[in-house]
Structures are given as C-alpha cells and as structure tokens.
C-alpha cells in the first residue's frame, strides 16, 4: 500500500517502453545465442588444428602469395574494417566485379561468395589465389613458394605430414590452412546480444540499457519489415540467395548473373565437395552440392549477407552500390516491384517507412556491431623446427 | 449396423499402411494413403530428409515443396530412394525461409498419377 505512490511516480517518469509480445520474444530469441559454439569442418582435416590456424594466419598476411609480391588476403580483408576494404568493388591486381565480403563469422555459411560458387571455406580460399584480378598465382607458383621456404615447408609438414609432389594438392593444403585460420574469426558480442539475453532472463536493467530507438527498429525488423524472413538466426542470414532489386549491371553491356553462374561454377569446380579433396569419409557435407537446383530465377540472386558488424563494412550490397546503412534502409523503403527481376521475391514490397522509422531501423542495425577490437595479430614464435 | 460393418471392413486396410519409427503425417485419397515424417524434424535453414510410405505400393513417387505465398520453391531438388514395399527416403530438402510451405507428393500408380498437397508452417 505504501509503495503505490512511488510506483505511480515511476510510471509517470519512464517513457512508455515497448512491451514485447510472446511472438516478438520468440523472434528475438531466434537471433541468438551469440557467439555460436565451434564445430569442426569435416571436409577439412586441418580444421581446428592449432598448427594449421597459425600457418593460415601467416599465409593470410603473406605478400609472397601474390604474383607481384604486393597483394595479400589481408589487403582486401583488413582486420580493422571487420575484414573488408571500404571500397565499392575490390581492387587487387585489377578491379574486380564485387564488394569484398567480411570473413568474420564466415564459418557459419553453407555457400561461399556472393554467388555461392563454392561449398566449403577452403575451396573459397583457392579462388582469390588463382584469380588473375586478385592474387594472380597458379598452383605451380604456390607449391614453389611452400617448397622453397624452409619455415613454410616445415609448418606445412607439421599440419599435413608432408608437402605433396602434386602442385594442386599443395594449393589445396594452403587453402585448408587459410580456412582453419578464418574459422577462428568470430565477431564479438554486440549491444543487441546483451539485450536479447537480458530480455530472456527478465533482467529489467539490462533491457532498459538497450536504446529505445534500437528497440523500435527491432520491432520493425521482425514485424512489418519482415527482414527476418531472410536475415534470420544468430548470424542474421538464411545462407541462401535472393533478388532484392539491386541492379546487376556491372557496366554497360556486362551483367553479374549472381547465383545463376554461381551454381554452374560450383558444379564445374574440381574443388567442390563431390571431388577428391573433401576429407569427410562419408561426404555428408556434400548434400547441398548434390541437390542444388539451377533455375532461371537464380539470375540476379545474391547471398543474403550476415548483418553482424555492419558499422565498419560500408559500402553495402554485392556491388558496393549503397554507401550507408541509411541508403540500404531507404532502398527497402522505396523498392519498386518493377526493379525486381520478374521472378523476384514476392514478399519484398516498398515499406514506405517514415523518417523516424528509418532512423530507428538504422539504430537497430548499428546495435549488431561489436565495437571492434576482437582481433590482435599474433606475434609469431620462433622458426619452425 | 451397416455403418459398423463398413468401418470394420475399412479398418484392416488402414492398419496395413504404417511406418514404424515415430508419429507420421497422413494423407489419403480413394486409392492411396501416404505417411511421411521429417527427419530430424522440420526447421528453417537446415537440410532434412523425409521418410515416406505409400500404400498400396506405387510405381514411383516424387517429392517437392514450395512457398505458395512467396511463389517460389526450394533451392534444392530432393532425391528419392525406393526402399521397397512402398517405402521411400527423400533427401536434400531445405526450407530457406520461415512461413507456410506446401509439400507436393506425386504418386504414379496403376491408375495414373495422383497429386497430394500438404501445408505446414515453419518458424
Ligand atoms: Cu519465401
């Protein structure tokens, strides 16, 4: 009885906070927990091996892994930018057609690249090494680098037992070590994760410390925005492919067919999971590759990106055509059905958001970033013996 | 009295169609009964298989699924392996979005091809 006036006073002071419905709570819970538990990649026998992780980390920053001795994985996947480069389209030995993807949380994907042209992280790691626009090497040059450097050769043997005589096999080993390193790159906890866990526990203070604009943005994200139809789960992606009305013209007369050519490249690749380099004895991981279906609608489809750590990874979309998160939200807000390919996703309609709603949705997207600083390059120990 | 006799007649036929190993969805027409079960259960964003039993055993069965409201199918073409006696295993299915999906079963029997549809919601 005596506490009633105080409660009334509090109720008057606190602005009406959004009370989440049961359905909203379920939708919010589905975006966690974070971080996910580690699981080995059965197709890569070096996965989770500390020696492979160290070799992969060295190779990721290794300029001798490029034709001109100036490029490296880390020149496009820059740690301080959450492993991206800030460019619209990546620039290696030449300008490429696409925006650099982050390698944070990449382990959680089923398909790799904007077009899913690879079905494993190690196969995806071969692509930039041999692409003439990126590192421009060949299997022969990579094998020569490993064999000719006593330290690299020693580390390679530590992981794989021997440096194979076959150049292509050496290249695959290098890619598997690179994959082992990239698997360890997981983004840290973001303000959203603290909020989600607080909400599930009923921790009022934790709930209150998540900004109100981000909460309103979250309600749009899982509500009328239907963003979680594709950006679902702890990594905010279904790992599959959609056409969201981003133009697929690269320049006059040249288009990026996206998933349509991705499936064809996947099938033609000697490094796919159906091929001889898959280390999993029963090939269970190849189930997607065996069943993937090529359809006309795949033309102009790109993989749904994760929405974690967006703040440092501008510009956005497969071609880097949208400079800010505000531009992305405006894109979904004003999207016209004519801009979608004929077979475009039927759930995408212009959201016609108000100015405040745009700001709220941006605030929510920003709350999915971990604030940086989760990676410090290791100082490597003495030479390998 | 008549009704009871009919039911008694129908019972053995229904009993004959079963699929051990857990509860299953049941679809029925005048000529066929289909039992199916998702293994390891339905969900979004991961591959699953279907255990299927068709009674009486047909010549051939095909399985697919689509999202009627979004007007698209799966990104995967399921494979189907006959296990004998009208039992099948369909592999490689994946629902890549939450919402309403519809399973499609095409059963080719002695009297022609029959289509079955079954709607499910996944979250
Ligand atoms: Cu859909």
């Amino acid at each position: 009885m005596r506490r009633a006036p105080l409660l009334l006073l509090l109720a008057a002071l606190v602005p009406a906070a959004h009370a989440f419905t049961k359905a909203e709570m379920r939708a919010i819970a589905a975006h966690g927990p974070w971080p996910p538990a580690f699981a080995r990649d059965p197709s890569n026998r070096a996965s989770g091996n500390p020696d492979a992780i160290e070799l992969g980390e060295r190779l990721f920053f290794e300029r001798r892994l490029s034709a001109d001795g100036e490029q490296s994985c880390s020149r496009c996947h820059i740690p301080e930018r959450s492993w991206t480069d800030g460019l619209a389209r990546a620039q290696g030995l030449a300008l490429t057609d696409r925006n650099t993807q982050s390698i944070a949380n990449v382990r959680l994907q089923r398909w790799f690249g904007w077009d899913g042209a690879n079905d494993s992280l190690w196969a995806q790691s071969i692509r930039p090494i041999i692409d003439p626009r990126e590192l421009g090497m060949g299997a022969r040059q990579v094998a020569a680098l490993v064999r000719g450097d006593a330290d690299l050769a020693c580390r390679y043997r530590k992981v794989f037992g021997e440096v194979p005589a076959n150049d292509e096999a050496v290249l695959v080993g290098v890619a598997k070590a690179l994959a082992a390193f990239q698997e360890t790159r997981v983004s840290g906890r973001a303000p959203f994760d603290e909020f989600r866990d607080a909400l599930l526990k009923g921790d009022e203070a934790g709930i209150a410390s998540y900004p109100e604009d981000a909460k309103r943005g979250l309600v749009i994200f899982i509500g009328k925005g239907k963003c979680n139809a594709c950006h679902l789960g702890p990594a905010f992606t279904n790992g599959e492919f959609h056409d969201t009305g981003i133009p697929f013209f690269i320049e006059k007369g040249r288009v990026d067919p996206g998933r349509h050519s991705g499936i064809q490249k996947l099938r033609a690749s000697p490094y796919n999971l159906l091929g001889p380099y898959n280390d999993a004895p029963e090939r269970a991981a190849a189930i997607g590759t065996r069943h993937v279906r090529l359809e006309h609608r795949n033309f102009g489809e790109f993989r749904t990106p994760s929405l974690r750590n967006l703040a440092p990874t501008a510009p956005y979309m497969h071609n880097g055509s949208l400079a800010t998160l505000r531009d992305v939200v405006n894109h979904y807000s004003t999207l016209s059905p004519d801009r979608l390919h004929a077979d475009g996703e039927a759930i995408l309609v212009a959201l016609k958001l108000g100015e405040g709603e745009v700001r709220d949705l941006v605030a929510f997207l920003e709350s999915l970033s971990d604030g940086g600083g989760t990676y410090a390059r290791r100082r490597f120990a003495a030479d390998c013996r | 009295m008549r009704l009871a006799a009919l039911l008694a007649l129908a019972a053995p036929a229904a009993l004959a169609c079963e699929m051990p190993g857990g509860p299953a969805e049941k679809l029925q027409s005048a000529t066929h009964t289909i039992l199916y079960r998702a293994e390891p259960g339905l969900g979004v964003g991961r591959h699953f298989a279907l255990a299927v039993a068709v009674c009486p055993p047909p010549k051939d069965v095909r399985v697919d699924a689509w999202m009627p409201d979004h007007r698209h199918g799966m990104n995967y073409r399921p494979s189907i392996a006959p296990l004998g006696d009208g039992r099948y295993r369909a592999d490689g299915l994946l629902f890549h979005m939450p919402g309403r999906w519809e399973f499609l079963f095409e059963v080719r029997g002695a009297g022609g091809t029959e289509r079955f549809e079954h709607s499910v919601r996944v979250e």
Side-chain angles (χ1 to χ4, degrees):
Chain A
M1 234 1 233
R2 263 164 67 224
R3 279 166 59 194
L6 181 63
L7 278 181
L8 278 176
L9 191 69
L10 275 179
L13 285 176
V14 179
H18 181 83
F20 292 94
T21 64
K22 274 229 168 71
E24 284 172 341
M25 302 260 284
R26 262 207 316 281
I28 294 166
H31 291 298
W34 194 263
F38 181 79
R40 278 192 70 247
D41 172 359
S43 76
N44 177 1
R45 67 191 186 283
S47 174
N49 171 343
D51 291 327
I53 294 168
E54 181 171 340
L55 173 59
E57 185 164 2
R58 286 170 182 262
L59 291 167
F60 198 85
F61 292 89
E62 178 58 75
R63 294 187 181 205
R64 288 177 299 165
L65 196 56
S66 68
D68 69 351
E70 292 294 326
Q71 319 294 320
S72 65
C73 309
S74 62
R75 287 204 51 186
C76 294
H77 300 283
I78 305 169
E80 293 74 28
R81 290 180 182 267
S82 190
W83 310 97
T84 61
D85 54 14
L87 303 172
R89 279 155 59 187
Q91 170 84 48
L93 291 170
L95 181 66
T96 72
D97 294 339
R98 295 190 185 147
N99 183 250
T100 300
Q101 293 174 297
S102 174
I103 58 148
N105 310 322
V106 68
R107 177 172 77 66
L108 303 174
Q109 296 294 338
R110 174 184 310 116
W111 300 111
F112 299 84
W114 285 103
D115 58 4
N118 286 291
D119 54 6
S120 74
L121 184 50
W122 54 267
Q124 176 69 23
S125 300
I126 293 174
R127 188 198 59 84
I129 301 177
I130 60 179
D131 189 320
R133 298 163 308 174
E134 299 188 37
L135 303 181
M137 298 282 271
R140 198 161 56 83
Q141 289 93 321
V142 173
L145 170 67
V146 173
R147 291 195 194 107
D149 183 287
D151 190 65
L152 276 180
C154 169
R155 290 178 194 282
Y156 193 104
R157 277 194 304 272
K158 254 185 165 174
V159 177
F160 298 105
E162 55 160 9
V163 182
N166 178 302
D167 292 347
E168 192 178 76
V170 180
L171 173 65
V172 171
V174 161
K176 285 181 176 170
L178 281 163
F181 164 62
Q182 295 172 85
E183 283 175 342
T184 64
R185 299 297 92 218
V186 175
S187 62
R189 281 174 66 83
F192 168 78
D193 299 308
E194 303 302 339
F195 165 71
R196 170 198 176 269
D197 293 358
L199 187 70
L200 296 188
K201 279 191 302 224
D203 161 9
E204 294 296 336
I207 296 171
S209 66
Y210 187 58
E212 288 303 320
D213 54 354
K215 275 181 203 150
R216 290 191 300 265
L218 167 59
V219 171
I220 299 172
F221 189 88
I222 59 173
K224 74 171 176 188
K226 295 192 179 134
C227 310
N228 62 346
C230 303
H231 297 283
L232 56 83
F236 293 87
T237 172
N238 58 357
E240 292 286 330
F241 304 82
H242 298 274
D243 173 6
T244 57
I246 297 296
F248 46 71
F249 286 99
I250 300 167
E251 58 227 352
K252 201 162 169 284
R254 216 154 63 82
V255 299
D256 187 337
R259 184 59 171 155
H260 198 268
S261 63
I263 295 176
Q264 287 163 312
K265 285 183 193 161
L266 167 80
R267 288 179 175 164
S269 170
Y271 308 114
N272 73 30
L273 291 177
L274 298 171
Y277 294 110
N278 180 351
D279 294 332
E282 62 325 326
R283 308 260 152 117
I287 192 154
T289 309
R290 241 181 295 130
H291 291 94
V292 71
R293 148 159 41 192
L294 181 64
E295 280 184 296
H296 182 69
R297 76 167 157 90
N298 297 130
F299 207 92
E301 286 183 350
F302 293 90
R303 197 189 73 201
T304 309
S306 166
L307 300 182
R308 286 191 176 268
N309 272 12
L310 285 173
T313 65
Y316 304 101
M317 303 306 192
H318 73 270
N319 54 6
S321 59
L322 299 180
T324 65
L325 288 177
R326 205 188 157 73
D327 293 340
V328 176
V329 171
N330 277 328
H331 167 75
Y332 285 110
S333 188
T334 57
L335 186 86
S336 83
D338 322 333
R339 281 191 45 199
L340 290 181
H341 194 234
D343 307 311
E345 192 65 55
I347 66 157
L348 282 171
V349 290
L351 293 173
K352 301 200 173 75
L353 301 172
E355 177 52 32
E357 290 177 309
V358 170
R359 270 202 308 268
D360 290 344
L361 201 41
V362 170
F364 166 68
L365 293 172
E366 283 170 348
S367 81
L368 302 176
S369 292
D370 65 8
T374 56
Y375 177 75
R377 197 170 160 191
R378 287 191 289 173
R379 287 237 304 276
F380 292 116
D383 286 353
C384 176
R385 253 182 281 258
Chain B
M1 203 52 216
R2 267 248 187 96
L3 190 64
L6 253 177
L7 276 178
L9 272 178
L15 269 182
C17 201
E18 55 186 28
M19 189 169 61
E25 299 289 343
K26 186 175 185 174
L27 316 176
Q28 213 149 9
S29 75
T31 41
H32 288 105
T33 303
I34 297 183
L35 298 174
Y36 82 87
R37 178 168 61 236
E39 293 175 347
L42 294 180
V44 179
R46 57 174 170 76
H47 281 286
F48 63 91
L50 289 185
V52 183
V54 184
C55 312
K59 287 189 182 132
D60 176 27
V61 174
R62 284 212 283 199
V63 177
D64 211 342
W66 72 307
M67 280 191 110
D69 309 330
H70 297 184
R71 298 196 306 270
H72 64 73
M74 291 188 296
N75 291 339
Y76 302 88
R77 192 185 306 286
S79 55
I80 188 136
L83 307 175
D85 265 353
R87 302 280 301 275
Y88 298 86
R89 184 180 161 90
D91 251 311
L93 295 94
L94 185 142
F95 290 166
H96 62 278
M97 296 170 87
R100 189 164 74 87
W101 285 84
E102 199 167 82
F103 281 115
L104 305 170
F105 296 89
E106 231 177 69
V107 175
R108 209 155 59 83
T113 300
E114 245 192 310
R115 282 168 68 87
F116 293 77
E117 286 154 19
H118 194 233
S119 212
V120 293
R121 278 203 82 83
V122 292
E123 247 185 57

